[in-house]
Amino acid sequence: MVTGTYEPTIIGFLCNWCAYQGADLAGTSRMEYPPNVRPVRVMCTGRIDPTFILKAFAEGADGVLVGGCHPGDCHYLEGNYKAIRRITMVRRMLEQFGIEPERFRLEWVSASEGAKWAKIVEEMTEQVRDLGPLQWWENVREA
Amino acid sequence: MEEPKIGVFICHCGTNIAGTVDIDEVREFAAGLPGVVSARDYKFTCSEPGQLQIKEDVKNLGLNRVVVAACSPRMHEITFRKAVAEVGLNPYLLQIANIREQDSWVHKNGSTEKAKALIRAAVQRANLLESLERREVPVTPSVLVVGGGIAGIQAALNIANANHKVYLVEREPSIGGRMIQLDKTFPTLDCSSCILTPKMAAVGSHPNIELMTYSEVEDVSGYIGNFKVKVRKKPRYVDSELCTGCGICIEKCPWKTDSEFDMGLGKRKAVYTPFPQAVPNVPVIDPDVCVYFEKGTCRACEKFCPPGAIAWDQKEETVELEVGAIIVATGYDLLDPSPLTQYGYKRLDNVITSLEFERMCSATGPTGGELVLKDGSAPQSVAIIHCVGSRDKNYCEYCSRVCCMYALKYSHLIGEKTDADVYQLYIDMRCYGKGFEEFYKRLSDEGVNFVRGKVAQVTDQVAGEEEQGKLVVVTEDTLLGRMLRIPVDMVILCPAMVARADADEVARRFLINRGADGFFLERHPKLEPVATASDGVFVVGCAQGPKDIPDTVAQASAGAAEALSLIDRGTVEIEAATAVVDEEMCSGCKICLALCPYNAITFDEEKKLANVNDILCKGCGVCVAACPSAAITGRHFTDKQIFAEIDGLLADVKPPLVAV
Amino acid sequence: MVRQIINPYKEAVDIVKEMGGEALRLCYQCGLCTGACPWNVLKSFPVRKLMHEAQLGLLDFEAEDMWACVTCGNCVQQCPRGVEIIDVMRAMRRTIVALGVGPVPDSLRVTMKNLAGTGNPWGEPTEKRADWAQGLNVKPFSNGAQMLYFPCCTTAYDASVSRIGKATATVLQKVGASFGILGSKEACCGESARKAGDEELFQRLVQENTAAFAESGASTMVVSSPHCYYTFMNEYPIAQNGLQVLHSTQYLAGLLREGKLKFSKEVKKRVAYHDPCYLGRHSGVYDEPREVLSSIPGVELIELPNNRENSICCGGGGGNVWMETKPGERLAEVRAEQALDVGADVLALACPYCMLMFEGCLTQDVLDRLELRDITELVAEAM
């Protein structure tokens, strides 16, 4: 990373079957994108416990990106639908913590959408970079 | 737990990783991580000597955890798991850090830093990995083949000839697929029927093949080696056991409709076989056309059927099958060119598609093989338009791969049947296969006119005497740099080959992925061309992408070989990374029960506890995340392991919350 | 002579390549653009060749071809590789204007000079901009009005086209709409300037107009010209500024659906509608004009052979309305012939440029058989 300027760190939770493969495809196709997202592979977005997301923010992540299969395409039939419900809750929780909504994203990326993955990472990195480092303890204090 | 002794192995992957990631820096960094006793690098860790390096270290240094920083785990996790297992380490004690696909290949700057973070995360996770035992379960030694085109036929015969049971399910009343609609095949010009009907007959009579035509797969459950499949058999209203295939019912039936097999160019009866050589040679009654179903009258077929095979009371039935492997060979559709209004398909007479032309050329087709215009006369001139919807951002971006060659074939067939002048309107001639270039040369010699340009318009607005009554093909000849108006009698469009209209439904049913082009996605474009994201489900033929007959047959045999190697093995290892309930902690709330998509969780009424059946469990982890008492552990993806990974990824970032 | 790839205008070519962007690199020379170009009915205009010359940096900036494109969008709509051909054409012209690497047609030069000096291509005084509305009791836009009417310079100044503005104002008054005009406070939308390559001038006009619109406080604007419509919608920041822009046919169709457009007379004519490129292909408005026309009592709406997305340009787009077109090379003639062939009495138009082109290009003999009417005129007549 370029030193001297602020570069955010984003934790990505990627499902094994769609988003992780999509990100792999971006690699195989040599699509360049910023290195700010650090991926964690899970088998399904349905496995993502809200505490994973909180943990990432607590450990210093400036953003969290969850990538799963498109609705209807879940390898485990409907894990992503369950993720949607949980993530709605997480969103509300993050809001209460004073974390800007742009710092958390849920995206559907299929195994063939390498370009989409690269674009999402680029977009989100830029957005989070603009927001600056996460200072949620201050937001909480203010609230 | 024993003290972890971790070995980190960093792969250069030639220059694929080493080109952007500073290997020495990363290796030194890895060596300093807690628990790491050795960090080494190698040019190609997946190679024989690379694997040996790992094995030696496990033996000599007593490593009990291995981290390989290389390509995606989806690429070589299995390779490395096997390697460590060979020296006695449990394969689940291996962790991969993906520093290629998701690092060195995609970042110009910062890939070294990211590699360090990924390796640190992998090491921290490795600290907490636990051994898991994989269970072996027996494989059902039979195969389901879906689709009875040339791909399905070839795969079914290969498997059946190896003495295994095959269920071949075909939606239409007969097998044969697209290939049986074709007249001649390029570049050898052998007759499609002549080479395919013997294979169809072989399928029909093979003792190991259970042919289920006019049937569709409704539901698939289970897992590799042990699938349960529900097949819906539509009623034929003709008893297959009694029917002798004499065809009298067809002859006597007074009701007609457009023949789907002849692309609407000819008619078929309400009781019909799509074509004379149908397998099975048992007609079906189309209830939408047959007047009996509307008014209860007619019954001509019944009156004349010698063995009394008409069975009005037949009902739809669902059959359950058990198979070890599934081969999906559902084929392709042809793009409907009518939205490309500039070509006038369906608006202008004598603008036809390639499949319509095939039917017209076929001796069994609606014109008995005569090439005729709407008015019954023979064309004096024919234009063949390539790339209709193919290589076109507005329709299909890909090349359909067969059009150039069949278009050349058409020139030859037109020449055989008429004296017409033929114009090939192409963008690029793609003649890449065996014998293709030679065929191109042969057709050039036969006197075909080649015009390089994508046709802008086919019109009946004439601009002069010589265009009177003709279709005018308007195009730039890009080699001449001049606009041409070519008056012709017939225009043949070569539409793109597209994924089946119901491909998304089929993909969902078999849990396979689709590419951006809509076709089914193979697991690896080069090394696993017929495997899919679903273990035990293979995809072959044009369902995977446009291809010609030889490629389809080769792929079908590949799919058969994959299925055979699976069922011949007799057993299959099932996922060990399943969920497990901690009886001490389970409160018996039953939340997990409804969540499991595989009904793998049952409730023990006596103990008031949830129980996971680890043969049915596929390890998605949905119950793990949902359990309010944290009583369910997702093996190999435990909360602790994932937390450790997150910690590792962020250790270089200052945490904002400082514990007070 | 073998022309080598040595580039006399490297800088100019680089600008073109950059503006043509990735899409230009994607061109695979299939020639569909040449075939789709309306000019090929009348003359040779090698679009594909220009694209290849741009790819290789072998453009001849002195060629007449630089100025032929009418920006009708028929090629872009169909291009299999998604090349933004109009952008490439605009880039070539912009390069010529900015760097002087080739000649600008005299007539166009005059137009641009007028535009720069007076804010309209006609070089007419600004004070006269509201003259078309004299005697119609059209009020200057005030804060109380609901709607701003923007007539287009051509409607405002051209004697034969001003009837579009008059008809529109009449219809608006008859339906009781509360509207006004900006008169001398508005300037040309600048579309011609941009298509003719004068980017600097275009940006100036954008600024002037945007400020004038903002100052007026209008929330809805009705325009007569599809060129103004497209430019406001796509190249102005107004849409973001909360100003709703409607073409007159969209506004009329809206009234029709609300039951507010009532007719009292029959117009017994066979009417063929000519889809303007910038309303149809560029803006996707095909149905509203037809809806309005077919609602007029007595009108029998017939379709031209090239209709909707396959419409043929009148020949006026891309700044060509300001340039000389040789007889026998006039697209308006082709279009009028089509209308007569399908038995139309009236060619219904929805664009001031189209009106100007047809008026200027057709012979009296044709005009005697084929009436040119703006849709608003037909509506006004039937009310």
Side-chain angles (χ1 to χ4, degrees), chain B residues 25-58:
Chain B
E25 189 183 328
V26 170
R27 191 195 55 245
E28 274 161 42
F29 168 82
L33 291 168
V36 173
V37 294
S38 131
R40 308 229 264 156
D41 63 290
Y42 191 68
K43 277 250 171 287
F44 291 101
T45 307
C46 62
S47 66
E48 190 75 32
Q51 292 188 38
L52 199 66
Q53 191 186 44
I54 299 175
K55 290 182 196 170
E56 300 266 297
D57 277 9
V58 171

Side-chain angles (χ1 to χ4, degrees), chain B residues 145-161 166 168-170 174-180 195-204 206 209 211 275 279 327 329 540 552-553 556-557 560:
Chain B
V145 177
V146 189
I150 177 60
I153 289 172
Q154 178 74 17
L157 285 173
N158 283 162
I159 297 163
N161 287 340
V166 178
L168 177 57
V169 175
E170 166 60 48
S174 168
I175 55 169
R178 290 288 183 212
M179 184 176 165
I180 199 68
I195 56 177
L196 185 55
T197 47
K199 275 183 183 280
M200 289 165 59
V203 166
H206 205 295
I209 298 180
L211 180 56
F275 49 95
V279 172
I327 295 175
V540 301
T552 297
V553 170
S557 289

Side-chain angles (χ1 to χ4, degrees), chain B residues 447-465:
Chain B
V448 179
N449 303 298
F450 289 93
V451 176
R452 188 191 178 280
K454 189 169 172 69
V455 172
Q457 203 189 2
V458 176
T459 177
D460 57 353
Q461 292 172 49
V462 299
E465 198 50 41

Side-chain angles (χ1 to χ4, degrees), chain B residues 41-81:
Chain B
D41 63 290
Y42 191 68
K43 277 250 171 287
F44 291 101
T45 307
C46 62
S47 66
E48 190 75 32
Q51 292 188 38
L52 199 66
Q53 191 186 44
I54 299 175
K55 290 182 196 170
E56 300 266 297
D57 277 9
V58 171
K59 279 192 284 189
N60 301 336
L61 304 175
L63 299 180
N64 55 19
R65 301 285 188 283
V66 168
V67 170
V68 177
C71 52
S72 170
R74 300 196 53 87
M75 188 78 200
H76 274 317
E77 189 172 49
I78 294 174
T79 313
F80 293 119
R81 276 183 173 176

Side-chain angles (χ1 to χ4, degrees), chain C residues 131-187:
Chain C
D131 284 6
W132 64 273
Q134 266 172 13
L136 286 174
N137 194 25
V138 173
K139 297 192 184 68
F141 186 83
S142 69
N143 256 340
Q146 282 166 1
M147 194 174 72
L148 173 63
Y149 172 54
F150 187 92
C152 165
C153 306
T154 304
T155 311
Y157 292 113
D158 186 273
S160 62
V161 180
S162 63
R163 54 193 169 113
I164 298 176
K166 289 178 180 142
T168 309
T170 309
V171 174
L172 291 177
Q173 283 167 343
K174 282 197 181 167
V175 298
S178 138
F179 77 102
I181 56 172
L182 285 180
S184 57
K185 288 186 203 150
E186 71 191 14

Side-chain angles (χ1 to χ4, degrees), chain C residues 11 50 62 64 101 157 174 203 235 301 316 335 365:
Chain C
E11 192 190 353
L50 281 177
E62 288 169 26
E64 253 179 58
V101 287
Y157 292 113
K174 282 197 181 167
Q203 293 303 341
E235 292 168 357
L301 182 62
R335 207 57 177 147
D365 168 54

Side-chain angles (χ1 to χ4, degrees), chain C residues 45-269:
Chain C
F45 178 43
V47 186
R48 173 197 53 81
K49 201 165 141 250
L50 281 177
M51 293 301 118
H52 198 42
E53 286 172 347
Q55 286 177 322
L56 295 180
L58 292 173
L59 282 170
D60 179 1
F61 289 106
E62 288 169 26
E64 253 179 58
D65 287 340
M66 292 286 135
W67 303 94
C69 173
V70 291
T71 71
C72 75
N74 198 32
C75 53
V76 179
Q77 168 184 271
Q78 294 177 48
C79 174
R81 280 281 173 91
V83 179
E84 294 292 339
I85 297 160
I86 296 178
D87 288 354
V88 180
M89 295 289 182
R90 190 156 60 84
M92 294 174 189
R93 294 175 185 182
R94 186 175 165 184
T95 311
I96 294 171
V97 172
L99 303 180
V101 287
V104 178
D106 289 342
S107 48
L108 201 58
R109 201 188 290 278
V110 173
T111 306
M112 291 307 124
K113 216 175 115 204
N114 289 341
L115 206 44
T118 62
N120 72 77
W122 302 89
E124 296 283 341
T126 315
E127 316 84 77
K128 289 193 170 177
R129 197 172 174 95
D131 284 6
W132 64 273
Q134 266 172 13
L136 286 174
N137 194 25
V138 173
K139 297 192 184 68
F141 186 83
S142 69
N143 256 340
Q146 282 166 1
M147 194 174 72
L148 173 63
Y149 172 54
F150 187 92
C152 165
C153 306
T154 304
T155 311
Y157 292 113
D158 186 273
S160 62
V161 180
S162 63
R163 54 193 169 113
I164 298 176
K166 289 178 180 142
T168 309
T170 309
V171 174
L172 291 177
Q173 283 167 343
K174 282 197 181 167
V175 298
S178 138
F179 77 102
I181 56 172
L182 285 180
S184 57
K185 288 186 203 150
E186 71 191 14
C188 175
C189 70
E191 191 255 357
S192 277
R194 185 163 232 208
K195 296 283 151 44
D198 200 337
E199 190 65 21
E200 210 175 302
L201 175 55
F202 173 70
Q203 293 303 341
R204 207 187 82 200
L205 293 166
V206 172
Q207 275 184 6
E208 286 176 20
N209 279 328
T210 308
F213 297 151
E215 197 195 332
S216 77
S219 60
T220 307
M221 174 160 66
V222 169
V223 301
S224 280
S225 170
H227 293 263
C228 303
Y229 176 74
Y230 174 85
T231 309
F232 290 152
M233 293 292 278
N234 297 285
E235 292 168 357
Y236 270 55
I238 351 189
Q240 294 104 279
N241 294 350
L243 182 60
Q244 190 196 12
V245 183
L246 293 171
H247 183 254
S248 58
T249 56
Q250 291 176 303
Y251 178 72
L252 290 175
L255 288 178
L256 199 61
R257 286 173 210 150
E258 291 165 21
K260 289 181 187 159
L261 191 62
K262 300 219 169 60
F263 300 106
S264 58
K265 289 178 215 126
E266 276 207 336
V267 181
K268 277 201 89 60
K269 303 270 182 190

Side-chain angles (χ1 to χ4, degrees), chain A residues 16-17 20-21 24 27 30-35 37-39 41 47 55 59-60 72 76 82 86 112 137, chain B residues 72 74 98 101-102 105-108 114 508 516 533 595 598 620 622 625 637 639 647 649 652-653 656:
Chain A
N16 181 59
W17 304 99
Y20 198 86
Q21 277 200 65
D24 275 357
R30 313 293 202 276
M31 289 166 179
E32 214 224 320
Y33 60 85
V37 172
R38 297 177 178 180
R41 182 169 69 117
R47 172 67 184 96
K55 167 83 176 170
E59 292 300 330
Y76 303 105
K82 282 150 195 159
R86 252 173 235 150
S112 60
W137 66 100
Chain B
S72 170
R74 300 196 53 87
N98 179 354
E101 280 85 346
Q102 299 193 26
W105 272 350
V106 283
H107 310 313
K108 253 187 219 147
K114 185 167 167 183
R508 242 167 255 169
L595 290 176
Y598 305 105
C620 70
V622 112
F637 287 93
D639 286 358
D647 271 333
L649 286 175
D652 58 330
V653 182

